[in-house]
């Protein structure tokens, strides 16, 4: 006898039973998010056949070149989730301002923030891309949402998750009760629960960082990485592996499946940008997912989910994954800020070394 298949709607229905007052709106909203992800999966899967590769010959609010799939994915998210009738407004990486629902469209009491296609520079090389989403309560209920309504800390999220369009398409979701992983069954066009109750181990021997930015890192990050690189004979007394996929979704997915640490820390490359990743639709939803799986997420100086957003497209330093490694990095930042790390010297930072200290 095989275990019965549980689809995304069935999982959500079972979760809803835990809340007798639930109206079903939240469940239905998440089903529409799942539908948007299935629609995007189809286009990503078609690739060049759908005419979806290449640049859209435009830039978004971040000043990044938009790929055609960025634009198509954004429209799919907006259209699909608007049709569900459960949002009071939406915020997208691809739009300067929040999206206001047209007159006559049913409004709901939730706000949806999303990165419709994360890692879009990976599209043309057929490497994993994904969609990231965050669900907040609309402070004014079904009234049209204003700019300020979105500026809620990550701890206020009621659901978060991402889809990864890889060798198979998966949807990873938390509604505040652990993290569940669903795999898209393409023949049934349904997400099926395949990875229940995912956990991120507290320790790891694997870290991910863009080492080409090494000369811009702050001393606590240089210290951490150099200690990892020193391996078995260094202070950590073990060897580490390094990974870098340049797609947040793919990095977080690897960490959920087999553990690890991801860093896009604060650096001095562009002082106008205190980090690379966006708080409201990248760091916060990934933060909720990782913490619901027992991992930890931090800016290096404070817990990510406590950061109060100041602007819609705010960037933040992001460190997430194995709890003990994130806590170690927080300690290194605190020691640096208190001037306690002056004794730190590494052979990897002398003049002849590959890694030159700032
Ligand atoms: Mn992104
Ligand atoms: Mn994107």
């Amino acid at each position: 006898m095989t275990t019965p298949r549980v689809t995304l709607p069935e999982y959500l229905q079972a979760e809803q039973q835990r809340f007798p007052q639930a109206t079903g709106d939240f469940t239905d909203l998440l089903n529409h998010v799942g539908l948007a992800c299935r629609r995007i999966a189809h286009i990503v899967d078609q690739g060049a056949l759908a005419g979806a590769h290449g640049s859209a010959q435009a830039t978004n609010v971040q000043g990044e070149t938009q790929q055609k799939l960025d634009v198509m994915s954004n429209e799919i998210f907006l259209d699909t989730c608007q049709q569900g009738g459960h949002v009071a407004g939406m915020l997208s990486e691809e739009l300067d301002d929040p999206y206001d629902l047209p007159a006559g469209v049913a409004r709901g009491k939730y706000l949806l923030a999303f990165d419709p296609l994360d890692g879009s520079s990976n599209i043309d090389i057929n490497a994993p891309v994904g969609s990231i989403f965050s669900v907040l309560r609309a402070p004014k209920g079904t009234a049209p949402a204003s700019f300020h309504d979105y500026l809620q800390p990550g701890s206020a999220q009621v659901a978060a998750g991402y889809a990864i369009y890889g060798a198979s398409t998966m949807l990873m979701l938390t509604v505040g009760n652990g993290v569940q992983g669903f795999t898209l069954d393409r023949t049934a066009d349904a997400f099926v629960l395949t990875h229940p109750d995912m956990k991120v181990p507290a320790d790891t021997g694997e870290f991910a960082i863009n080492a080409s930015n090494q000369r811009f890192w702050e001393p606590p990050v240089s210290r951490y990485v150099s200690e990892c690189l020193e391996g078995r004979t260094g202070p950590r007394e073990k060897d580490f592996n390094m990974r870098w996929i340049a797609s947040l979704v793919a990095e977080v997915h690897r960490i959920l499946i087999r553990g690890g640490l991801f860093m896009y820390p604060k650096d001095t490359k562009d002082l106008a940008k205190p980090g690379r990743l966006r708080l409201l639709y990248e760091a916060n939803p990934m933060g909720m997912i990782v913490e619901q799986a027992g991992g930890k997420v931090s800016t290096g100086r404070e817990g990510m989910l406590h950061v109060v957003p100041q602007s819609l497209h705010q960037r933040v330093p992001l460190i997430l994954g194995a709890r003990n490694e994130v806590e170690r990095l927080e300690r290194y930042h605190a020691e640096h800020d208190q001037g306690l790390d002056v004794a730190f010297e590494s052979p990897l930072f002398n003049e002849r070394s590959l890694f030159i200290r700032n």
Side-chain angles (χ1 to χ4, degrees):
M1 198 178 117
T2 55
T3 317
R5 281 163 56 112
V6 176
T7 63
L8 176 64
E10 288 164 347
Y11 167 76
L12 292 170
Q13 189 65 35
E15 279 295 300
Q16 187 184 320
Q17 315 278 307
R18 300 193 302 125
F19 302 94
Q21 284 84 22
T23 58
D25 291 358
F26 180 63
T27 296
D28 201 47
L29 168 63
L30 292 174
N31 278 320
H32 278 85
V33 170
L35 176 58
C37 294
R38 278 169 21 226
R39 288 176 169 163
I40 295 168
H42 182 69
I43 295 182
V44 171
D45 183 50
Q46 291 288 298
L49 296 175
H53 280 188
S55 167
Q57 309 293 337
T59 54
N60 66 12
V61 62
Q62 325 286 338
E64 296 161 344
T65 305
Q66 283 179 312
Q67 306 288 316
K68 284 183 202 159
L69 264 176
D70 285 322
V71 176
M72 294 163 91
S73 304
N74 186 51
E75 285 168 2
I76 288 171
F77 246 95
L78 292 174
D79 289 348
T80 307
C81 297
Q82 166 175 300
Q83 281 164 14
H86 302 298
V87 293
M90 290 181 270
L91 171 69
S92 167
E93 180 189 42
E94 302 299 335
L95 300 174
D96 298 20
D97 299 312
Y99 176 81
D100 293 323
L101 303 186
V105 168
R107 276 172 205 288
K109 54 190 186 228
Y110 296 99
L111 300 176
L112 186 64
F114 52 83
D115 175 354
L117 201 71
D118 176 69
S120 55
S121 64
N122 272 353
I123 295 166
D124 289 358
I125 63 165
N126 209 359
V129 291
S131 305
I132 309 172
F133 57 90
S134 163
V135 182
L136 296 163
R137 282 195 184 84
K140 299 195 296 279
T142 58
S146 69
F147 176 97
H148 291 281
D149 296 345
Y150 294 88
L151 302 180
Q152 302 182 44
S155 56
Q157 294 172 105
V158 290
Y162 66 87
I164 180 166
Y165 314 113
S168 56
T169 288
M170 292 190 70
L171 180 80
M172 318 303 282
L173 175 71
T174 180
V175 293
N177 186 26
V179 177
Q180 318 302 327
F182 301 82
T183 303
L184 181 60
D185 177 344
R186 288 185 191 276
T187 49
D189 194 21
F191 281 113
V192 178
L193 183 61
T194 48
H195 294 61
D197 202 21
M198 307 200 72
K199 294 290 177 214
V200 174
D203 294 299
T204 183
E206 209 165 77
F207 69 97
I209 192 164
N210 182 351
S212 70
N213 288 327
Q214 188 267 335
R215 66 193 184 282
F216 304 114
W217 294 340
E218 291 192 300
V221 172
S222 293
R223 174 186 178 186
Y224 177 84
V225 172
S226 77
E227 288 179 358
C228 291
L229 295 178
E230 285 179 72
R232 197 176 296 277
T233 56
R236 299 299 305 274
E237 298 178 341
K238 69 173 184 177
D239 292 335
F240 284 79
N241 267 320
M242 197 172 85
R243 293 285 182 274
W244 187 252
I245 314 177
S247 158
L248 179 62
V249 160
E251 303 282 359
V252 170
H253 195 67
R254 184 188 63 250
I255 289 170
L256 273 184
I257 297 295
R258 69 174 194 205
L261 176 78
F262 170 86
M263 293 171 274
Y264 213 122
K266 180 172 180 230
D267 65 33
T268 58
K269 189 174 186 177
D270 178 352
L271 293 173
K273 293 175 184 170
R276 173 76 178 76
L277 295 160
R278 274 59 58 99
L279 177 58
L280 284 174
Y281 42 79
E282 290 180 322
N284 275 346
M286 290 314 204
M288 184 178 181
I289 283 276
V290 167
E291 296 215 341
Q292 282 287 321
K296 196 170 165 88
V297 59
S298 175
T299 65
R301 293 184 165 90
E302 64 180 318
M304 184 65 64
L305 301 183
H306 303 301
V307 176
V308 178
Q310 305 293 314
S311 62
L312 294 174
H313 299 285
Q314 178 173 342
R315 294 173 191 265
V316 281
L318 176 60
I319 297 170
L320 63 76
R323 167 170 295 276
N324 290 340
E325 297 299 309
V326 175
E327 287 176 355
R328 176 182 289 269
L329 271 151
E330 287 183 328
R331 178 158 58 80
Y332 287 5
H333 280 82
E335 287 176 6
H336 172 69
D337 292 349
Q338 294 160 26
L340 299 175
D341 61 348
V342 284
F344 159 63
E345 276 304 333
S346 161
L348 291 174
F349 289 100
N350 66 30
E351 282 167 36
R352 287 164 306 186
S353 81
L354 175 64
F355 287 78
I356 311 286
R357 196 171 185 190
N358 293 320

